Amino acid sequence: MMVGDEYMVESKGGAIACMMISLLCLGTWPALMALLERRGRLPQHTYLDYSITNFLAAIFIAFLFGGSTPDAPSFITQLTQIQDNWPSVLFAMAGGVGLSFGNLATQYALAFVGLSVTEVTTASITVVLGTTVNYFLDNRLNRADILFSGVSCFLVAVCLGSAVHSSNSADIEAKLGSVSGDCKTVNHEECQRLFGEEEEEMERVKEGTAAFLTALENTRAIKVFGKSMVVGLGITFFAGLCFSLFSPLFNLATNDQWHALKEGVPKLIVYTAFFYFSLSCFVIAIALNISFLYKPVLDSPRSSFRDYLSDWNGRGWALTAGLICGFGNGLQFMGGQAAGYAASDAVQALPLVSTFWGIYLFGEYRRSSPRTYALLVGMLVMFTVAVVLLVASAGERETRYN
């Protein structure tokens, strides 16, 4: 609904539409990040580019939609005038810090665990923890019986996701064990052909084979062969814990359930909160990744800021990933403000989108064992059921800013 100059999502149908578009966006940007890492671009370079456009997307959304209404101040008013709303601002910025650490961990988890399992596990943890908190913060706005049935499905999906990773790791070890020592090194030209423009060249190294996996290891920026499975899962669970914090904190920033604001001080509109949220996410991401250029983690290659500035290979995709993620987050919060943040966590079914990209773009699980396929199907079925239940639990919030 357009009131004055501010666009407000007020209907349940509008909120669900926002969530579905957000689901597509948030399931696509990790695939672009994984694609660049597999092509050999350093994660520090990719994440710096991503962070810039992610923040620009938040500014665009805030200026475009954040006008004033009879019941709420505008984005510009809340940004420029002293309104004693710092408790809400700090909640929003704390949420951005959680998202930044989660996204950073995800960048490395994608290499160790794979696109599908990373997204399934992090999203499931986010729902199990974050959605439960949001339900109580929203004063039980959503139907508990439906909501927590969906949460249970996500919890099962976490277990199945871990089992998929374990089974797939065993499949990879079996494939590599069948290759002689002379075949475990693939020359540079063959690696280039894996990601070259001529598709017929890729047929020489079939996806899912030992030769393909070895060529990929030689090409990618983060080397994963010989690393413990626990490392990848540990990074993934850490990312999920970080992600589980940002939605409840954003909820507190816009709805002030803890009554941190003084009487008469307007609550932050969703666009102002999203700006502060994205600002802190941007600052943390830039600071950490510049540090990682000179002191890389997990045996990543060392780089420098000059090297980053001159690295244009894949920069367009990294910038696009930031825009997609920024608009996805904005739409999630717009939908959550209208229908409840617990229901908006339905976008955490984004692994349904990510798994499609993982299989289509990267050939994940090609030539895997029947056990791995069975676990993968079970994981996706649980996710499908979970997202339907979370959407069905949506309520309608009565929005008041005073």
Side-chain angles (χ1 to χ4, degrees):
M1 177 179 177
M2 187 72 73
V3 181
D5 295 321
E6 180 181 350
Y7 183 80
M8 298 174 62
V9 179
E10 295 183 338
S11 69
K12 182 176 178 179
I16 291 176
C18 285
M19 287 185 256
M20 292 301 99
I21 299 173
S22 176
L23 170 63
L24 179 62
C25 292
L26 296 179
T28 298
W29 76 264
L32 297 177
M33 305 284 270
L35 176 65
L36 294 174
E37 185 277 322
R38 291 163 74 98
R39 287 183 171 183
R41 194 167 199 254
L42 295 183
Q44 305 97 306
H45 294 186
T46 298
Y47 202 80
L48 284 168
D49 289 334
Y50 155 91
S51 300
I52 293 170
T53 49
N54 184 263
F55 183 49
L56 290 177
I59 296 175
F60 176 81
I61 289 173
F63 276 99
L64 183 64
F65 298 122
S68 61
T69 73
D71 299 321
S74 68
F75 161 69
I76 294 297
T77 299
Q78 290 196 320
L79 190 66
T80 58
Q81 296 182 8
I82 298 176
Q83 297 182 316
D84 204 15
N85 55 15
W86 281 107
S88 294
V89 170
L90 291 177
F91 279 130
M93 296 184 76
V97 172
L99 179 67
S100 187
F101 277 106
N103 282 342
L104 186 62
T106 296
Q107 172 78 355
Y108 292 91
L110 291 171
F112 281 91
V113 182
L115 183 62
S116 302
V117 173
T118 296
E119 296 304 305
V120 165
T121 306
T122 56
S124 298
I125 295 172
T126 300
V127 170
V128 171
L129 299 179
T131 300
T132 301
V133 174
N134 274 327
Y135 171 73
F136 290 103
L137 288 177
D138 283 336
N139 195 27
R140 297 172 173 83
L141 178 63
N142 308 94
R143 289 187 55 182
D145 55 339
I146 299 177
L147 178 68
F148 287 106
S149 295
V151 170
S152 299
C153 291
F154 275 109
L155 186 58
V156 173
V158 171
C159 301
L160 289 174
S162 299
V164 169
H165 177 53
S166 176
S167 180
N168 193 51
S169 297
D171 293 342
I172 291 174
E173 290 181 7
K175 293 172 185 176
L176 295 176
S178 64
V179 181
S180 66
D182 293 336
C183 295
K184 285 192 177 182
T185 301
V186 179
N187 61 46
H188 179 71
E189 292 182 357
E190 192 167 8
C191 291
Q192 289 292 101
R193 283 199 294 270
L194 281 172
F195 299 108
E197 297 180 355
E198 300 180 2
E199 295 183 3
E200 63 271 13
E201 294 286 357
M202 296 184 65
E203 295 179 1
R204 300 183 59 178
V205 183
K206 295 182 179 180
E207 292 177 337
T209 62
F212 177 87
L213 295 171
T214 304
L216 176 60
E217 178 72 4
N218 290 340
T219 304
R220 72 188 320 157
I222 302 174
K223 308 303 180 184
V224 298
F225 280 6
K227 301 290 176 62
S228 171
M229 182 184 70
V230 177
V231 173
L233 286 177
I235 298 172
T236 305
F237 274 89
F238 174 75
L241 290 173
C242 292
F243 286 146
S244 69
L245 298 174
F246 80 80
S247 181
L249 287 167
F250 193 93
N251 193 353
L252 285 167
T254 56
N255 294 299
D256 191 36
Q257 291 93 335
W258 289 354
H259 307 292
L261 296 177
K262 295 180 180 179
E263 186 175 353
V265 176
K267 300 173 185 176
L268 290 186
I269 63 172
V270 66
Y271 306 106
T272 307
F274 185 46
F275 171 79
Y276 283 115
F277 171 90
S278 300
L279 175 63
S280 64
C281 183
F282 172 74
V283 171
I284 293 295
I286 294 296
L288 287 177
N289 279 281
I290 290 179
S291 174
F292 288 163
L293 290 174
Y294 299 94
K295 296 181 180 180
V297 297
L298 299 172
D299 298 326
S300 299
R302 192 175 184 275
S303 184
S304 68
F305 194 70
R306 177 178 295 180
D307 292 338
Y308 158 69
L309 292 176
S310 62
D311 181 13
W312 288 90
N313 183 26
R315 173 157 286 161
W317 286 117
L319 295 172
T320 301
L323 285 174
I324 292 173
C325 182
F327 283 109
N329 283 330
L331 288 168
Q332 178 188 359
F333 295 141
M334 290 166 67
Q337 186 65 15
Y341 285 93
S344 76
D345 283 337
V347 303
Q348 297 305 328
L350 57 91
L352 296 173
V353 179
S354 296
T355 298
F356 168 79
W357 291 122
I359 294 173
Y360 177 75
L361 286 179
F362 309 138
E364 287 187 346
Y365 310 112
R366 296 284 175 87
R367 296 175 175 81
S368 293
S369 66
R371 180 175 183 270
T372 298
Y373 286 135
L375 291 169
L376 179 64
V377 170
M379 178 184 74
L380 295 177
V381 167
M382 295 308 299
F383 254 88
T384 303
V385 174
V387 69
V388 170
L389 290 173
L390 259 67
V391 170
S393 75
E396 293 188 23
R397 186 193 304 278
E398 181 180 354
T399 304
R400 293 178 180 175
Y401 289 96
N402 295 312

